[in-house]
Amino acid sequence: MTSADSMETLRKRTSEKWRTHPDDVLPMFVAEMDFPLAPPIRAALHAALDAGDTGYVDPHDASAARAFASYASDVWNWDANPERMGYATDVSVVIVESLRRLIEPGDGVIINPPIYPPFFELVPEAGGRVVEVPLSDDGRQYSLDLDGIDRAFEKGARALLLCSPHNPVGLVHSRETLTELSRIVARHDAVVVSDEIHAPLTHHGTTFTPYLTVSDEAREHGIAAESGSKAFNLAGLKSALFVAESDRMTDLIRGLPDEVDFRAGLLGLMATREGFTHGREWLAATISTIERNFTVLEQQLAEKLPHVTLRRPNATYLAWLDLRGLGWGDDPADRALHHAKLALSDGISFGTEGRGFARMNLACAPDTIVEAIDRLARAL
């Protein structure tokens, strides 16, 4: 198990999570961990600082790419080729720079709400037009609406921005679903950019399938955005990877301006290398802690807020809470903030399907979860 830092230590941090709200608010919104860095990453960063190794990225240093490829091979049975990878500051940059080169201005790009809120902004930033095909929901589980995606392509959409695993619901798409998706995309001569930032946080007993492994079609028309930033809490260090499997997408990466590589953070690439190489034991323990925290949340809800429902995810440390039973309206996160001094991510920002929902970050101490539910219960 991985233990969170003390609240006293956490409140000394200067990141968004700890500076957005006053100290009487319990912050459980943005996707930052409350855990200390993995020891191998901490040691590598200390060594770099001691050596004054804080200069520009060497884009020809493939050590971070090789580390990711080794991890992908060992964990996902994916023989990704470091020679078909490129660096960037973060996954959002991978998405935008890829889409800019894969679509024409005004082309439709499919997203599947409820979904990571920046997707609504990244598509127009890349010159595209958002086409919403919400997740299917049978009341028990979410899934991609493959028929809806097919219809959207028939109406002219040219790309799909895939969230895999899916934020905020923690859905891990099956190989069968992704294979059928690749057939649909190929039939319409479209493309896929697959955001797989949460993939290393897939829970034990669940198999994550990289999109580029499911079929020859997927390898030809897909490009993946990968990073260790969520798994190892490295968002502020700025590093991510473009990953391709086809000559077409490799040419896209090689054709990017040199500045795309140079804007990545040197310390971020060091941390990425150390995390995927030497941080796997820490990551496994952290996932176990996250799984335990979901159990704590389920118990607390059952005892204190039985009208709040949670479908336990198969990945991420993010809990998608259905708060509609509380009668707090479309934006219960606003009520939680002002009446419970609890900061959650508002469901509306994930799309209209998020009305009445809120997202809670469980990469924290179990006591933090207990305190959060106590605050919500008192606010009733």
Side-chain angles (χ1 to χ4, degrees):
M1 296 289 186
T2 302
S3 297
D5 281 329
S6 69
M7 195 60 65
E8 179 182 6
T9 298
L10 291 169
R11 291 202 179 277
K12 294 177 182 177
R13 294 184 179 181
T14 61
S15 61
E16 178 186 12
K17 183 174 183 178
W18 298 98
R19 288 297 176 92
T20 299
H21 302 287
D23 285 352
D24 62 342
V25 172
L26 190 64
M28 300 181 75
F29 63 115
V30 68
E32 296 180 22
M33 290 181 173
D34 292 355
F35 307 129
L37 282 175
I41 294 176
R42 182 191 295 265
L45 294 178
H46 274 294
L49 293 176
D50 289 343
D53 191 7
T54 56
Y56 291 108
V57 164
D58 174 6
H60 304 294
D61 179 1
S63 60
R66 288 195 298 269
F68 172 77
S70 176
Y71 175 88
S73 177
D74 292 343
V75 178
W76 303 323
N77 198 30
W78 177 19
D79 292 327
N81 185 348
E83 294 183 2
R84 292 186 181 274
M85 299 182 192
Y87 297 139
T89 51
D90 55 35
V91 160
S92 293
V93 170
V94 175
I95 291 169
V96 171
E97 295 295 343
S98 297
L99 284 175
R100 279 176 176 161
R101 289 155 179 82
L102 292 170
I103 64 172
E104 297 296 329
D107 279 351
V109 179
I110 300 167
I111 64 173
N112 310 114
I115 201 161
Y116 179 54
F119 275 24
F120 292 95
E121 305 300 329
L122 297 177
V123 170
E125 182 181 346
R129 171 177 50 85
V130 170
V131 176
E132 297 185 33
V133 180
L135 293 177
S136 293
D137 179 8
D138 64 5
R140 296 179 297 107
Q141 61 184 9
Y142 294 97
S143 62
L144 288 175
D145 179 0
L146 295 177
D147 290 338
I149 291 170
D150 193 15
R151 289 191 296 271
F153 280 128
E154 287 178 353
K155 293 178 180 178
R158 302 300 306 138
L160 169 69
L161 178 50
L162 180 67
C163 196
S164 181
H166 194 98
N167 174 10
V169 302
L171 168 66
V172 178
H173 308 297
S174 70
R175 176 173 289 276
E176 293 74 20
T177 294
L178 293 176
T179 301
E180 179 58 25
L181 174 65
S182 74
R183 306 282 190 249
I184 293 169
V185 174
R187 187 162 64 248
H188 295 284
D189 193 27
V191 295
V192 170
V193 178
S194 185
D195 174 357
E196 300 179 356
I197 194 171
H198 287 281
L201 290 166
T202 298
H203 297 181
H204 297 117
T206 299
T207 300
F208 170 75
T209 303
Y211 182 72
L212 299 184
T213 68
V214 300
S215 68
D216 289 339
E217 292 92 337
R219 285 182 277 275
E220 177 61 28
H221 64 232
I223 192 165
E226 309 286 351
S227 179
S229 65
K230 286 294 180 284
F232 300 106
N233 205 39
L234 308 177
L237 297 183
K238 292 299 178 186
S239 65
L241 296 99
F242 297 82
V243 183
E245 285 284 348
S246 66
D247 290 344
R248 173 192 181 188
M249 295 303 179
T250 302
D251 288 345
L252 181 154
I253 295 170
R254 290 174 178 166
L256 291 166
D258 291 340
E259 286 301 316
V260 175
D261 282 311
F262 281 121
R263 288 171 185 151
L266 179 62
L267 296 179
L269 292 178
M270 291 178 189
T272 298
R273 179 194 66 218
E274 292 303 313
F276 283 124
T277 303
H278 302 296
R280 299 185 193 183
E281 183 177 343
W282 179 92
L283 180 58
T286 298
I287 292 171
S288 294
T289 299
I290 292 164
E291 292 169 336
R292 178 194 62 181
N293 282 352
F294 273 101
T295 299
V296 171
L297 177 60
E298 288 172 333
Q299 293 169 342
Q300 289 293 305
L301 291 175
E303 177 184 343
K304 300 169 184 175
L305 290 173
H307 296 298
V308 176
T309 59
L310 165 71
R311 300 182 205 175
R312 187 160 180 151
N314 290 316
T316 82
Y317 49 75
L318 305 169
W320 186 235
L321 299 175
D322 184 349
L323 299 164
R324 290 175 294 181
L326 299 183
W328 285 3
D330 286 349
D331 187 8
D334 182 70
R335 173 129 183 180
L337 178 61
H338 291 99
H339 294 271
K341 299 295 184 181
L342 173 65
L344 305 173
S345 296
D346 65 278
I348 296 175
S349 65
F350 294 82
T352 57
E353 293 75 16
R355 288 177 296 193
F357 287 75
R359 194 189 72 177
M360 177 182 283
N361 178 344
L362 299 191
C364 59
D367 288 348
T368 300
I369 299 168
V370 174
E371 173 64 19
I373 301 307
D374 282 344
R375 291 187 181 206
L376 288 176
R378 287 196 297 269
L380 289 175

